[in-house]
Amino acid sequence: MNRDWETLLVEERTDRVVVSLHRPEARNAINARMIDELHDVCALLERDPRLLLLTGHGGVFAGGADIGELLHRGRDEALRGINSRLFERIHRLPMPTVAAVDGWALGGGAELAYACDIRIAGPDARFGNPEAALGILAAAGACWRLRELVGESLAKQVLLAGRVLDAQAALAAGLVIDVVPAPTLPTAAHELLDRMARSSAVALRLTKLVADAPGVHPLADDLAQAVLFEGPDKQERMTRFPAKKESMT
């Protein structure tokens, strides 16, 4: 995508797009410009589905939504769901998304990380939702998405009691897949995407689609599997599998 980015660093690769939140003067706080630019990233990935790696610049993921902008938002802006619409769009991207989190992921920054399919953390990662202390609520997904990710009790500790989850607590809760030393976090995140990239892209897309479908969905399972059973990826990969298995023994 040929454009000038003001709040993001964007790197396009053949099988993935790497996006770093980049507002170092504001701890990568999410402002209206960043929201617009992330919508542009979503549009790119909807047109040309690829894996997404989302990171923060300078040892911070995102210190929350921009308080200066939040202060001036009223009822009409709340009803527009400025942040929540974006985060849901990220959650619904066709290919898997990974958030590599080191440092603070607070408020809207935490909700952005929650919207990704998988999170991996550095040792200094901190997840928190202090919105109630500011007289508002975490209205961009945390009130329901965090409960789905870590369970009701822990979610209420974060949302109501102001608990901040450090990296080890996030790992114990299953919120992150791993905690790795900060210098190796980018490498570990790319290795995770490399692992997914070795899978069939269409199988990943359909698996994510079915996994995100609400409720019990045997019909969706059957329909997705029917598409995959007729595709060339299944034939090629299953034909190769016995030889690959023999080479590993």
Side-chain angles (χ1 to χ4, degrees):
M1 179 182 289
N2 295 320
R3 63 157 298 169
D4 294 325
W5 304 97
E6 292 184 11
T7 67
L8 306 176
L9 302 175
V10 178
E11 177 191 356
E12 290 194 56
R13 302 189 186 182
T14 302
D15 62 355
R16 71 197 64 176
V17 173
V18 183
V19 175
S20 180
L21 310 180
H22 187 252
R23 293 189 69 215
E25 76 287 355
R27 295 200 307 172
N28 302 331
I30 301 169
N31 66 352
R33 181 67 179 182
M34 186 181 288
I35 293 287
D36 289 343
E37 293 188 351
L38 286 170
H39 273 297
D40 288 343
V41 170
C42 288
L44 169 67
L45 292 171
E46 289 160 354
R47 289 192 305 268
D48 181 10
R50 282 173 279 177
L51 301 165
L52 171 65
L53 175 58
L54 192 59
T55 72
H57 177 76
V60 178
F61 185 73
D66 190 291
I67 295 295
E69 292 186 355
L70 279 181
L71 181 63
H72 298 289
R73 290 183 187 175
R75 176 191 58 200
D76 292 342
E77 288 79 12
L79 291 173
R80 283 170 51 200
I82 295 170
N83 288 13
S84 62
R85 298 297 184 272
L86 169 68
F87 298 167
E88 182 62 15
R89 190 176 184 185
I90 289 172
H91 185 70
R92 296 298 176 190
L93 286 171
M95 291 288 281
T97 57
V98 173
V101 179
D102 198 26
W104 292 100
L106 293 177
E111 291 177 302
L112 176 57
Y114 303 156
C116 291
D117 295 306
I118 299 173
R119 289 148 295 280
I120 186 169
D124 295 327
R126 300 291 185 273
F127 298 87
N129 288 96
E131 284 86 347
L134 297 173
I136 59 175
L137 81 154
C143 284
W144 51 275
R145 189 168 278 137
L146 184 58
R147 183 184 68 241
E148 294 176 352
L149 291 170
V150 302
E152 180 179 349
S153 177
L154 186 53
K156 285 184 175 180
Q157 293 173 39
V158 174
L159 296 166
L160 303 180
R163 179 178 176 182
V164 174
L165 300 178
D166 64 19
Q168 290 302 321
L171 179 63
L175 183 60
V176 302
I177 190 172
D178 200 4
V179 177
V180 300
T184 66
L185 181 58
T187 299
H190 278 290
E191 288 175 349
L192 177 58
L193 267 72
D194 290 342
R195 190 187 318 160
M196 289 189 282
R198 289 193 289 271
S199 295
S200 160
V202 66
L204 284 177
R205 289 187 64 176
L206 287 173
T207 299
K208 177 174 175 176
L209 190 66
V210 173
D212 285 341
V216 179
H217 37 67
L219 179 58
D221 290 350
D222 293 345
L223 290 172
Q225 192 74 299
V227 172
L228 293 170
F229 271 14
E230 296 296 319
D233 268 4
K234 177 234 182 185
Q235 298 296 326
E236 179 190 352
R237 288 169 179 272
M238 287 194 174
T239 300
R240 289 202 320 257
F241 184 75
K244 181 179 179 182
K245 186 176 180 181
E246 287 178 8
S247 69
M248 295 172 60
T249 58

